[in-house]
Amino acid sequence: MASEGAPPIKHVFIIVLENEGIATTFGQNSPSPYLSLTLPKQGAILLRYFATGHLSNDNYISMISGQAPNKQTQSDCPIYTDFASTQFGEYGQLLGEGCVFPANVSTVADQMEAAHTTWKAYMEDMGNDPQRESATCGRPVLGQPDHTQRAEAPSPRVPKGDAYATKHNPFAYFHSIVDDQARCNAHVVNLRVLTDDLAAASTMPNLAYVVPNLCHDGHDSPCVNGEPGGLVSADEFLRHWVPLITASPAFRDGLLVVTFDESEIVSRFSPQGVLGISGDASACCNERAPNVEHAGLLGPGGGYIGAVAISPFITGGTVSSVPYNHYSLLRTLEDVFGLPALGYAAQPEVHAFGPDVFTASH
């Protein structure tokens, strides 16, 4: 049930892309004209939407739990380790560091099931190589290196290759989800499943969290399979999936949000190691990070990324200049489904998308 003031949205689709700032994605001569020009005409562009951290993994975790970055999630969790603390701070922040949060740290998925609403995460390429990860709830072995950090090229054994990355699947980092294998298998699935689920509103979960592979999310460029990658391949992914989503029965009361995990950040190397990093670490909404000096490595946040939102409750061509971030996206989901705010989504400076975004009458 939606909170008072939220549109009567019953289905939310989120597509997360990788590593681009707003100036590149939505600027003049953008490599992604479908995302930068076509989609904003169908809905709203959120010009002041910020990521919450660097590198990737901490942003995905923020989106579904409201938990801030720590040293391990900032480094994309190359070793799939348990969180090493059980002490909580303000706004339910788990203090310390680690990758897999204990079972008493909730996600929006846990909230939705408790409220008798449904969710699924659709992960492109998950399980293409069953020796790397399962096709459902794919993740490394606890305490072991994450061998999905890089894409696997096509081979006779794996003809399509495998560009699934666990670090871009936030649901794999919560014991509240992965400890129940049957439940996790039912909810964290390969992207192929989305085609069938879109056929009817009754088969489509209330929340669909869609993550392309390392090529189609724009992370790699060029890709191991010969595709160009970057925003060019991300735009092609959207050209295929967005019309299928917006034409589906579930979208009659739906919301689609397309955003990025973080803005660009560049590491400079020498034979001796990393010389330094540079990039956009701007933030909004009084962002905090109790477990690290800077959530964005160089500064308070993950940079200025922008977002596009499409819905029957949004007038095409809407432009919002209200500051939002990944915690705001979580807060929006919780408002839509009538759930309490988790983690930093509960901060007074963090707001759900409002009438600046939902501009169509309802």
Side-chain angles (χ1 to χ4, degrees), residues 27-255:
Q28 210 169 23
N29 303 316
S30 168
S32 52
Y34 184 71
L35 173 57
S36 64
L37 298 174
T38 302
L39 294 186
K41 292 177 183 176
Q42 298 178 22
I45 183 168
L46 282 58
L47 289 176
R48 297 190 65 202
Y49 187 105
F50 294 83
T52 48
H54 289 299
L55 300 175
S56 294
N57 184 241
D58 48 0
N59 288 286
Y60 289 85
I61 285 171
S62 293
M63 284 184 216
I64 70 163
S65 70
Q67 293 291 320
N70 68 72
K71 289 182 180 180
Q72 296 303 313
T73 60
Q74 271 190 335
S75 65
D76 283 345
C77 286
I79 308 295
Y80 187 67
T81 57
D82 265 332
F83 208 103
S85 169
T86 57
Q87 182 181 356
F88 288 87
E90 64 171 6
Y91 294 101
Q93 295 298 307
L94 191 61
L95 302 179
E97 62 181 84
C99 299
V100 188
F101 288 76
N104 59 345
V105 176
S106 291
T107 70
V108 69
D110 302 306
Q111 288 183 301
M112 292 185 71
E113 287 187 63
H116 307 290
T117 50
T118 55
W119 67 279
K120 253 182 203 177
Y122 300 88
M123 302 286 156
E124 188 175 23
D125 278 10
M126 187 170 67
N128 279 12
D129 182 354
Q131 294 184 18
R132 282 207 329 169
E133 76 280 335
S134 168
T136 56
C137 197
R139 64 194 189 278
V141 175
L142 194 63
Q144 296 298 311
D146 178 5
H147 298 296
T148 71
Q149 294 269 328
R150 296 185 179 183
E152 178 180 306
S155 67
R157 186 173 65 82
V158 187
K160 293 183 179 180
D162 190 342
Y164 165 72
T166 307
K167 63 184 178 179
H168 297 165
N169 171 9
F171 302 96
Y173 294 88
F174 292 88
H175 278 292
S176 65
I177 294 172
V178 300
D179 285 1
D180 186 335
Q181 188 67 48
R183 173 187 173 218
C184 189
N185 287 344
H187 289 88
V188 183
V189 299
N190 189 286
L191 179 63
R192 292 187 300 267
V193 177
L194 181 57
T195 302
D196 291 337
D197 286 356
L198 285 168
S202 60
T203 56
M204 197 64 225
N206 298 108
L207 172 62
Y209 192 90
V210 179
V211 178
N213 66 24
L214 284 167
C215 181
H216 298 150
D217 66 7
H219 183 280
D220 293 354
S221 181
C223 304
V224 294
N225 64 359
E227 292 184 50
L231 283 171
V232 174
S233 290
D235 219 39
E236 287 304 307
F237 179 90
L238 296 175
R239 286 180 188 273
H240 174 77
W241 283 104
V242 170
L244 295 178
I245 291 169
T246 56
S248 69
F251 200 72
R252 292 170 191 159
D253 52 21
L255 167 66

Side-chain angles (χ1 to χ4, degrees), residues 262-340:
E262 59 175 324
S263 185
E264 303 100 329
I265 195 162
V266 178
S267 299
R268 294 179 291 113
F269 296 92
S270 74
Q272 289 74 41
V274 178
L275 285 173
I277 55 174
S278 60
D280 178 11
S282 55
C284 78
C285 315
N286 191 28
E287 186 173 346
R288 309 175 194 187
N291 293 317
V292 292
E293 184 177 0
H294 299 298
L297 297 178
L298 302 169
Y304 188 26
I305 51 177
V308 171
I310 301 172
S311 172
F313 305 103
I314 299 174
T315 303
T318 293
V319 177
S320 170
S321 296
V322 175
Y324 294 117
N325 62 15
H326 291 328
Y327 300 128
S328 305
L329 179 56
L330 174 59
R331 182 72 169 265
T332 301
L333 294 177
E334 291 166 328
D335 270 21
V336 163
F337 296 117
L339 308 170

